[in-house]
Structure formats: structure tokens, C-alpha cells
Amino acid sequence: MKSVQGKKAEFKPFELMLDQKKINQRIIQLGESISADYAGESLVMLGVLKGCIVFMADLMRHIKLPVEVEFISAASYRHGIRREDDIVIGGGVSIPLKGRHVLVVEGIVDTGRTASVIVQKITKMEPASVEVVTLLDKPASHRVKINIKYKGFSIGNEFVIGFGLDNAQMYRNLPFIGRVIDS
Ligand code: IMP
Ligand code: MG
């Protein structure tokens, strides 16, 4: 494979897990539920970069409400002993969320630490409500208690790529969800 910005793009063998049709049907259902639950209100969709990008772009077009779109970035570094201490949240602080209905949009919830830290931070800003929507959830991997109101699919403890999700910053552009095959 050709090198990307000086680093060799590593090929990871993967297999199809969720195809575009299945994902799209589920996103339509999520959009309908969210539109019904927040009927008569406006919503702030707060995407967690970068994994949210493809899911968020699709989901927002199936929400029939006045919607404001904002983003925050979260990066986790596995340096420390307690991983939650290593979750760095960039931006977000300048977004006025007081009294607003906030929907945190995640591509995937794994240990739940990122979503949990974000929900705690937003709660301090006194929103009218804060809920989480994720395309994928790994319930068996949760390490903190996290209430996920809307989820596309529950999956096992496997590593997935595509539809916005990466492996070493690659594969986000795959239009489906693939499961990385451990070799
Ligand atoms: P957390 O463990 O719930 O805090 O998730 C941390 C982040 O790890 C997620 O937002 C993703 O960026 C990443 N992640 C976890 N599992 C996967 C996966 O299977 N594929 C790609 N990224 C993942
Ligand atoms: Mg990642």
C-alpha cells in the first residue's frame, strides 16, 4: 500500500458486519424516535469528534425538529493508570447550553468513559436535558455507569471500523461497518 503523509498505511483485514442498508434503516428509526420524544422543542446535537461524523450527518437529516449542530472533540490517551484522567475534551466550553435540550452524538461507546465525562461536563452547564445517542454500543465493555437513551446497534467486544470509526485514523470513509479480524 502507498504511504500516507510519510507513514505507511497499515492494512487491517476486516469483514462486513453491518451494511449500508441496515445502518440506514436503523438511523431512520432513531430519527423518528428522537423527533417524537422532543416534539415541540428544539435540540442541540452535540457531536463527539471524530467518530460521530458520518452517523451525525445521516441522523440529523432524519430529525424533524429545529436542530442546532455543534461539535466537541474528545481524545483518549492510554498513558495513565486511570484512563478517565486521560480523556481530553477540546472546545465545547463556549457553546451556550443552559436551558437547552442537548443530545450527545457518539459513533461508538466502549468503556463509556468518554460519554460519561461529556455528560458530566454538560450537566454542570444546566441544560434542560442531556441524553446520549450512539450508532454502536459495546455493553459488555462498559466500565462506568452510563445511560444511553438511543442506540443503533449493540455489538460484542470486537474492534470495528468504517462509517466514521477509525483504526489509527484510517478507514473512517468506509460506507459500512467492518469487523477487524484478529490475525
Ligand atoms: P470509550 O471507551 O467509551 O470512552 O470510547 C473511547 C473511544 O474509543 C470511542 O469514542 C472511539 O473513538 C474509540 N473506540 C472504541 N471502540 C472502538 C472500535 O471498535 N472501533 C473504533 N474506535 C473505537
Ligand atoms: Mg479512534
Side-chain angles (χ1 to χ4, degrees):
M1 207 177 265
K2 267 195 173 169
S3 70
V4 179
Q5 286 180 345
K7 84 173 177 188
K8 202 163 185 287
E10 196 193 336
F11 176 74
K12 285 270 181 192
F14 62 86
E15 60 189 9
L16 177 66
M17 191 171 134
L18 294 166
D19 66 29
Q20 282 166 278
K21 195 175 166 199
K22 211 170 167 188
I23 299 169
N24 191 43
Q25 284 171 343
R26 187 70 189 116
I27 292 176
I28 290 169
Q29 291 173 344
L30 287 172
E32 284 170 355
S33 301
I34 293 164
S35 303
D37 291 353
Y38 293 91
E41 307 284 352
S42 69
L43 193 60
V44 181
M45 294 180 76
L46 187 63
V48 184
L49 294 171
K50 303 173 191 164
C52 74
I53 49 169
V54 181
F55 174 49
M56 178 125 160
D58 282 359
L59 180 63
M60 70 168 89
R61 286 176 287 170
H62 293 290
I63 296 182
K64 294 172 180 67
L65 300 167
V67 156
E68 192 180 319
V69 174
E70 300 285 359
F71 293 97
I72 54 172
S73 56
S76 49
Y77 301 95
R78 291 159 205 237
H79 298 152
I81 294 161
R82 290 172 47 203
R83 214 181 133 206
E84 58 266 49
D85 294 341
D86 291 333
I87 291 170
V88 177
I89 300 186
V93 277
S94 61
I95 305 166
L97 297 177
K98 189 173 175 161
R100 305 297 309 276
H101 291 287
V102 181
L103 184 61
V104 177
V105 184
E106 274 266 28
I108 189 162
V109 174
D110 183 13
T111 65
R113 282 177 182 136
T114 306
S116 168
V117 167
I118 289 168
V119 167
Q120 282 171 36
K121 291 203 179 223
I122 293 165
T123 302
K124 285 184 189 143
M125 298 169 80
E126 299 173 35
S129 69
V130 54
E131 299 291 353
V132 176
V133 58
T134 187
L135 177 62
L136 301 177
D137 182 33
K138 299 184 185 179
S141 298
H142 289 190
R143 293 292 172 267
V144 293
K145 219 174 171 307
I146 175 84
N147 178 33
I148 302 167
K149 185 155 186 192
Y150 307 99
K151 74 171 81 167
F153 303 91
S154 290
I155 65 168
N157 287 349
E158 44 211 345
F159 199 84
V160 292
I161 51 172
F163 219 82
L165 302 177
D166 73 305
N167 180 256
Q169 300 303 330
M170 303 292 288
Y171 299 104
R172 294 191 199 274
N173 56 321
L174 292 180
F176 52 82
I177 298 283
R179 175 194 289 121
V180 172
I181 302 161
D182 261 332
S183 46

